[in-house]
Amino acid sequence: MRIKITGCNCLQLCFLFFCAIFFSANVTAQLRSGNPILKGWYADPEAAIFGNNYWIYPTYSAKYKEQVFFDAFSSSNLVSWQKHSRILDTGAVTWAYMAMWAPAVIEKDNKYYLFFSANDIQSKARNGMKDDTLGGIGIAVANKPEGPYKDYLGKPLINQFYNGAQPIDQFVFQDKDGQYYIIYGGWGHCNIGKLNNDFTGIIPFDDGTKFKEITPKGYVEGPFLFLRNNKYYFMWSEGGWTGPDYSVAYAIADSPFGPFERVGKILQQDTTVATGAGHHSIMHNKENDQWYIVYHRRPLGETAANNRETCIEELSFDENGFIKPVKITFEGVKEQRLKRKR
C-alpha cells in the first residue's frame, strides 16, 4: 500500500519523523521492566515461578519493629507487577513480634510453604547476651501463592544456634532425588539440613547431627543454591548489608554439601547506578532457558540502612559454565511471558 503525502513541507516531514522515533523509543522502553521493579522499600527478594506468573516475596525494608508483615508481588510478563498486601503478618504467628524478613517460598503437593525469619534472636556465645530461643525460622502455609498464609507449626522450626549460625536467611532446595533441604545462616556461618516429608521437622544425618556446616570463604549471609548441568551453584552475600561493599559471590560443587570453593563475585555496586547490591535469588524460565537474578540495592545518595529497592537483571553463563558478572542497570529486563499451561 502506498501513502501519498500532499501539502507537506520539509519541516512537517521532520516533525513526523521525530514523532515516529519518539513513539518507537517509548514502545521499546515499555517492553522492559525498568529498575527498581517494585514501588517502595523492599529487600531480600525471593523469586519464583508458579503457574503462569512470576512471583517476588521480599522483606519489607524498615526498622525491625515495623517489619511485622510480608507483601508479595506477581507478574505475567516481568514488566507489570501486582501487589498482594500482607500475605502474612505477626497476627497469624503467635511467637513472632518483629524482624520478619527474607522469606523463601516453595510449592509442594498443591500447597505453598513460606519459610521466614523472625525476632532476630541472639546468642551468648556471640555477644554475651543470654541465649534467645523466642524466634528463629518458621513456616507458614497457604493454598495459593498469594495466600493468605497461616502459621504451620505454631512454633519455630529452628530456634537454636548450630555451628555458630544465626537462624535467619533460609532457603529451601529440592535436590534431583526429591529430597528437600533447608540452607540458612547469618553471622558468617551457613548450615544445611534435611527436611522431613511434611516439613514439620529436621531429619538427622547418620552421625546424629541435625545440620552440617557448608560455609565457604567470604560468606556472610543470604544463601541460595541451584542445580545446572548436574553442578551445584551455591551463592551468598558478603560485605556489610548497610554498606556499599554488599555483594554476591558464588561457588560450584558436585554435591549440595560442597565443598564449596569460592569462584568470585558476580554482583556488586556500580557507582554510576547504585550501591550495596546483594541478597538475591535466582529465577529460571525453563521454557526458553532464561535465567534472572532478583536482588536489592541502595539508590545513589541514599544512606539510610533500610532504604533499599528490589531490582532484576538477566543472568548468563560462559562456555565453561561459570556465571558471567552481572551489570546492574536502570533498564532491567525485557518483557517475557510464560506459556499458558493446558
Side-chain angles (χ1 to χ4, degrees), residues 214-239:
I214 56 171
T215 308
K217 183 179 179 181
Y219 176 91
V220 174
E221 59 193 15
F224 193 93
L225 183 69
F226 68 89
L227 189 62
R228 180 180 183 269
N229 294 339
N230 287 319
K231 294 291 184 180
Y232 293 84
Y233 289 73
F234 181 53
M235 310 178 78
W236 64 90
S237 292
E238 51 189 34

Side-chain angles (χ1 to χ4, degrees), residues 41 46 73 97-98 104 147 316:
W41 299 127
E46 165 85 351
F73 298 83
Y97 64 93
M98 71 166 189
S316 58

Side-chain angles (χ1 to χ4, degrees), residues 7-280:
C8 185
N9 61 31
C10 183
L11 182 62
Q12 289 173 318
L13 286 173
C14 289
F15 176 76
L16 290 172
F17 180 72
F18 172 79
C19 288
I21 291 182
F22 179 81
F23 176 79
S24 176
N26 275 276
V27 168
T28 300
Q30 290 171 2
L31 298 179
R32 298 193 74 93
S33 65
N35 276 324
I37 53 176
L38 309 181
K39 294 181 179 179
W41 299 127
Y42 289 97
D44 315 330
E46 165 85 351
I49 296 175
F50 296 134
N52 300 319
N53 286 318
Y54 303 93
W55 288 83
I56 294 178
Y57 301 84
T59 298
Y60 173 62
S61 191
K63 295 179 181 179
Y64 287 1
K65 291 184 178 180
E66 298 173 18
Q67 289 179 329
V68 294
F69 65 89
F70 290 115
D71 295 328
F73 298 83
S74 64
S75 175
S76 63
N77 60 5
L78 295 176
V79 174
S80 301
W81 291 89
Q82 178 184 356
K83 181 178 179 179
H84 306 271
S85 298
R86 289 184 174 261
I87 63 169
L88 177 70
D89 60 32
T90 51
V93 185
T94 58
W95 55 268
Y97 64 93
M98 71 166 189
M100 297 180 76
W101 66 50
V105 183
I106 193 162
E107 180 184 8
K108 184 178 185 295
D109 299 330
N110 297 315
K111 297 282 188 180
Y112 297 86
Y113 294 89
L114 188 152
F115 292 71
F116 62 95
S117 312
N119 300 357
D120 188 35
I121 64 174
Q122 304 296 307
S123 78
K124 187 175 182 180
R126 178 180 172 91
N127 53 27
M129 299 175 64
K130 180 180 179 181
D131 284 341
D132 182 5
T133 59
L134 182 59
I137 296 172
I139 311 174
V141 65
N143 294 320
K144 299 182 294 184
E146 65 270 30
Y149 287 81
K150 61 181 181 180
D151 193 7
Y152 182 55
L153 301 177
K155 62 181 180 179
L157 174 71
I158 306 170
N159 68 336
Q160 298 180 37
F161 292 79
Y162 298 91
N163 305 318
Q166 188 187 29
I168 61 169
D169 290 4
Q170 58 293 315
F171 174 70
V172 178
F173 171 75
Q174 185 182 19
D175 204 355
K176 51 191 174 183
D177 63 358
Q179 176 64 53
Y180 288 89
Y181 294 93
I182 185 166
I183 302 166
Y184 74 92
W187 296 352
H189 296 275
C190 185
N191 289 334
I192 184 170
K194 295 169 65 175
L195 287 161
N196 64 12
N197 188 56
D198 60 2
F199 294 166
T200 57
I202 305 297
I203 302 172
F205 292 102
D206 292 341
D207 61 3
T209 59
K210 283 189 172 183
F211 300 99
K212 298 292 185 183
E213 185 167 6
I214 56 171
T215 308
K217 183 179 179 181
Y219 176 91
V220 174
E221 59 193 15
F224 193 93
L225 183 69
F226 68 89
L227 189 62
R228 180 180 183 269
N229 294 339
N230 287 319
K231 294 291 184 180
Y232 293 84
Y233 289 73
F234 181 53
M235 310 178 78
W236 64 90
S237 292
E238 51 189 34
W241 73 272
T242 62
D245 61 336
Y246 204 49
S247 53
V248 172
Y250 82 106
I252 304 175
D254 294 321
S255 163
F257 300 95
F260 292 108
E261 297 294 332
R262 185 181 187 277
V263 175
K265 291 184 180 182
I266 57 94
L267 180 75
Q268 57 187 317
Q269 71 169 357
D270 180 334
T271 55
T272 66
V273 179
T275 62
H279 203 128
H280 75 299

